[in-house]
Amino acid sequence: AQKITQTQPGMFVQEKEAVTLDCTYDTSDPSYGLFWYKQPSSGEMIFLIYQGSYDQQNATEGRYSLNFQKARKSANLVISASQLGDSAMYFCAMTKGRRALTFGSGTRLQVQP
Amino acid sequence: DTGVSQDPRHKITKRGQNVTFRCDPISEHNRLYWYRQTLGQGPEFLTYFQNEAQLEKSRLLSDRFSAERPKGSFSTLEIQRTEQGDSAMYLCASSALDRLSYNEQFFGPGTRLTVL
């Protein structure tokens, strides 16, 4: 069974600073995918970034980067230069193949001016 | 708008009533997923379809829940004899089976169900 753990219920960050959101996972499968989604107060889930278990390099998408440490089974999201619009819930998720996503409980990020 | 759409966006019902939700995926997407999200939690998988075939159902999907995707396009999720514990956001997502890279799922805006 797959499991995602997000140990930070809430985080604060000052505007323009970087922030790291933690995610650890557990799986016995050698092949899997790791995702981060953002959920603003409006409710829609917005895809941010993906990391495959066999990818050699950490994924990056604009201001988002994924710090993938396979041996530690961690997939932390780093947001650089935080903006007020980054305030939202952030979910780490994983999947095997093209099956459904398993989500963590999320981290609420609040960006302060 | 060519994203995933869901209808209705909000539904308030009385305990014991039946409700049905609709999801229209992105048109070329073969796979369609249903998730349930309760307050303060991450989404939990309910079921998914590949074209019209229902390939997997979660243990969360009790016999009061049924989902269909009759022509491999839109999908419906029905809850019979609703209970207060069914109050949640019901999210639909779709993905393209033939993507070579990864199974990026695109989510709809959700249907928020309140059972009184």
Side-chain angles (χ1 to χ4, degrees):
Chain A
Q2 299 176 332
K3 185 177 180 181
I4 294 284
T5 302
Q6 295 181 254
T7 57
Q8 305 157 313
M11 290 281 287
F12 290 90
V13 65
Q14 291 293 122
E15 196 176 5
K16 300 181 184 178
E17 292 186 349
V19 63
T20 298
L21 306 184
D22 294 341
C23 171
T24 58
Y25 61 91
D26 188 23
T27 182
S28 56
D29 295 311
S31 176
Y32 50 89
L34 295 158
F35 298 77
W36 278 91
Y37 280 84
K38 173 184 178 181
Q39 188 176 42
S41 56
S42 53
E44 76 273 24
M45 299 288 285
I46 302 168
F47 166 77
L48 296 178
I49 197 167
Y50 166 83
Q51 179 84 42
S53 59
Y54 293 121
D55 293 344
Q56 296 297 313
Q57 293 188 329
N58 287 343
T60 59
E61 290 284 351
R63 295 186 299 111
Y64 304 108
S65 61
L66 199 152
N67 184 0
F68 181 46
Q69 297 188 44
K70 195 170 183 178
R72 295 185 177 185
K73 293 189 174 180
S74 73
N76 298 339
L77 177 70
V78 180
I79 305 175
S80 63
S82 297
Q83 302 172 355
L84 294 177
D86 293 336
S87 294
M89 283 291 289
Y90 288 80
F91 292 97
C92 180
M94 73 181 304
T95 187
K96 172 181 168 56
R98 301 187 183 282
R99 300 182 67 184
L101 292 163
T102 299
F103 286 87
S105 55
T107 296
R108 179 171 297 281
L109 177 66
Q110 295 189 50
V111 181
Q112 298 175 320
Chain B
D1 189 311
T2 57
V4 179
S5 62
Q6 293 186 245
D7 184 69
R9 295 291 305 277
H10 303 273
K11 178 71 176 179
I12 300 175
T13 190
K14 293 182 179 180
R15 188 177 54 184
Q17 298 294 305
N18 299 343
V19 295
T20 300
F21 310 141
R22 176 177 171 130
C23 171
D24 287 88
I26 294 171
S27 60
E28 65 269 23
H29 283 185
N30 309 85
R31 289 211 164 189
L32 186 148
Y33 304 80
W34 285 99
Y35 295 86
R36 181 174 70 184
Q37 185 178 22
T38 53
L39 204 60
Q41 298 297 317
E44 296 174 293
F45 166 68
L46 292 178
T47 187
Y48 81 87
F49 294 82
Q50 180 175 313
N51 299 315
E52 66 275 10
Q54 189 173 17
L55 295 186
E56 188 175 351
K57 294 191 290 187
S58 161
R59 288 174 295 176
L60 293 175
L61 211 68
S62 75
D63 56 4
R64 297 185 297 107
F65 288 69
S66 62
E68 294 183 341
R69 195 182 183 198
K71 297 184 179 179
S73 56
F74 73 92
S75 175
T76 58
L77 177 69
E78 181 183 16
I79 308 174
Q80 296 182 327
R81 305 181 304 279
T82 52
E83 302 172 354
Q84 288 183 327
D86 297 331
S87 295
M89 176 79 87
Y90 290 84
L91 294 165
C92 175
S94 69
S95 68
L97 181 62
D98 58 355
R99 281 190 69 96
L100 298 179
S101 56
Y102 55 88
N103 185 27
E104 179 183 346
Q105 296 182 22
F106 296 81
F107 282 80
T111 294
R112 182 168 296 284
L113 173 67
T114 302
V115 181
L116 302 176

